[in-house]
Amino acid sequence: MNFPVFDLHCDTACALLGEDLRQAGSLRKNEYHIDLERASALPGYAQCFACFTTPRTNRPGGTTDTQLLEREMVSVLREVEKNKNLISLAYTAKEIEENRKNGKMSAILTLEGAAGFGFDPALLEDLYKVGFRITSLGWNEKNVLCGSHKTGGGLTDKGREYVFEAQRLGMLIDVSHISDEAFWDIMDITQAPVIATHSNSRAVCNVSRNLTDDMFKAICQTGGVAGLNLYAEFLGENATLDTVCDHVEHWLALGGEKHIALGGDLDGCDDLPAGFAGVQDYPKLAEALLKRGICEQIVQDIFWNNAMGVFEKCCM
């Protein structure tokens, strides 16, 4: 069955730049996991395009963190403008729904890491005005805001300031990649729904990038969602679409039917589960969930309604 797809995380913005981080590829048709021609077969499509930066000095051409963020953002905006008959930039939940009703896809800008603007909370308002609606606090590194799942370390005073400012603006906080300590520090101060854009269940696949049961339940209590990550390493050994279903069923058993979404990590990972090659295969995942006995309404919620619900609360 073909459901509309609301995906909370992809790395296509960086993929479009190519290996030299300069040449913008085509969003309409390409050999990556996501392009508009394949996505057009879906009965609705909203994609969060992450602009990724992490402190690094060995990029091609000496590209700085700020330059990389700018190039990713411009590549998405340029491709949306070139394909405006198919897709529009969306700032609000209302615009996402209007685009779907009018047969158009939606692009939403998000931040994966804050290195591209010096981790400065004061710059979040300018980024919000551009269209960014989700922000994480970092990637796999420890930084001035918090520790990562690889390093450990909680939220700093600057990190708390960052969370408060993002939520004041209506920008969703994304806890994928951060440390367990920083996760719970955020939960202690959050004033809005918190999301994990691309993380799975640690009980099903025991890696630090996934969420413990207590973490998932805490996200549910904020009114947030967790987006299913399709990177095979975070799903389990010899991952298939059935493995993805295992994560869904585990979260459903925790009462999470209104708090599971999609966050495929497409174009940000090399290995996908067997049977899934790109955005065109989301209907295969839907069929796998239905075959497990998960009802059509819950699948519809996972594919569209749950993510829309969070945007309706926070991104009006």
Side-chain angles (χ1 to χ4, degrees):
M1 186 171 290
N2 208 358
F3 293 94
V5 167
F6 194 144
D7 186 310
L8 292 170
H9 184 88
C10 76
D11 286 294
T12 309
C14 191
L16 289 173
L17 296 181
E19 292 185 2
D20 64 356
L21 300 178
R22 289 183 178 274
Q23 182 63 46
S26 169
L27 186 58
R28 179 179 283 266
K29 186 175 183 178
N30 58 55
E31 296 181 353
Y32 304 126
H33 294 152
I34 291 173
D35 68 31
L36 300 181
E37 290 192 2
R38 283 174 285 161
S40 293
L42 301 170
Y45 182 50
Q47 180 64 60
C48 292
F49 288 92
C51 293
F52 161 79
T53 58
T54 189
R56 219 175 255 174
T57 57
N58 60 344
R59 294 194 187 98
T63 304
T64 67
D65 297 331
T66 300
Q67 287 171 330
L68 178 58
L69 174 61
E70 290 173 346
R71 290 175 191 176
E72 290 174 318
M73 177 180 67
V74 169
S75 72
V76 174
L77 296 177
R78 180 192 298 119
E79 288 302 302
V80 168
E81 176 62 24
K82 284 169 61 177
N83 297 284
K84 58 187 177 183
N85 61 317
L86 296 176
I87 190 168
S88 292
L89 190 67
Y91 296 85
T92 65
K94 183 179 179 181
E95 290 175 346
I96 295 169
E97 195 57 53
E98 286 178 350
N99 284 340
R100 187 171 75 92
K101 289 178 180 177
N102 293 328
K104 293 182 75 171
M105 295 174 269
S106 292
I108 303 108
L109 291 172
T110 73
L111 294 162
E112 185 174 29
F117 53 101
F119 305 96
D120 188 352
L123 297 179
L124 283 171
E125 186 164 4
D126 289 337
L127 291 162
Y128 183 84
K129 289 176 180 176
V130 171
F132 287 91
R133 291 298 181 265
I134 298 173
T135 181
S136 70
L137 278 69
W139 190 58
N140 291 337
E141 81 289 346
K142 187 173 185 178
N143 59 46
V144 298
L145 302 179
C146 69
S148 80
H149 71 105
K150 286 190 172 184
T151 67
L155 202 62
T156 66
D157 288 342
K158 189 170 186 178
R160 290 181 179 84
E161 181 186 352
Y162 191 98
V163 171
F164 288 139
E165 178 62 7
Q167 292 187 335
R168 181 189 73 81
L169 293 166
M171 194 180 289
L172 287 158
I173 292 293
D174 174 14
V175 295
S176 290
H177 283 285
I178 68 172
S179 66
D180 290 6
E181 300 98 315
F183 175 95
W184 291 113
D185 287 345
I186 288 173
M187 289 300 160
D188 285 341
I189 64 170
T190 186
Q191 299 175 355
V194 171
I195 65 174
T197 59
H198 55 306
S199 295
N200 297 326
S201 166
R202 201 179 298 182
V204 177
C205 180
N206 187 20
V207 296
S208 60
R209 270 285 285 105
N210 288 341
L211 302 166
T212 68
D213 287 357
D214 285 343
M215 287 176 172
F216 178 71
K217 287 187 282 189
I219 287 172
C220 295
Q221 289 170 2
T222 71
V225 295
L228 289 162
N229 190 325
L230 296 176
Y231 182 26
E233 185 175 322
F234 302 153
L235 288 168
E237 190 174 356
N238 301 318
T240 65
L241 292 177
D242 276 336
T243 315
V244 184
C245 296
D246 292 340
H247 288 263
V248 173
E249 288 194 328
H250 183 78
W251 279 343
L252 289 176
L254 297 177
E257 59 270 10
K258 296 297 183 182
H259 303 280
I260 308 169
L262 303 175
D265 208 4
L266 301 183
D267 290 320
C269 59
D270 297 325
D271 298 320
L272 293 168
F276 196 104
V279 66
Q280 70 277 6
D281 289 329
Y282 268 121
K284 293 182 181 179
L285 175 57
E287 288 295 338
L289 291 167
L290 292 168
K291 286 180 181 177
R292 281 288 188 100
I294 298 171
C295 74
E296 187 174 322
Q297 182 59 59
I298 289 178
V299 177
Q300 172 84 23
D301 289 345
I302 292 169
F303 269 59
W304 185 267
N305 295 336
N306 292 344
M308 272 297 296
V310 176
F311 267 68
E312 287 168 354
K313 294 173 189 172
C314 301
C315 305
M316 300 299 292

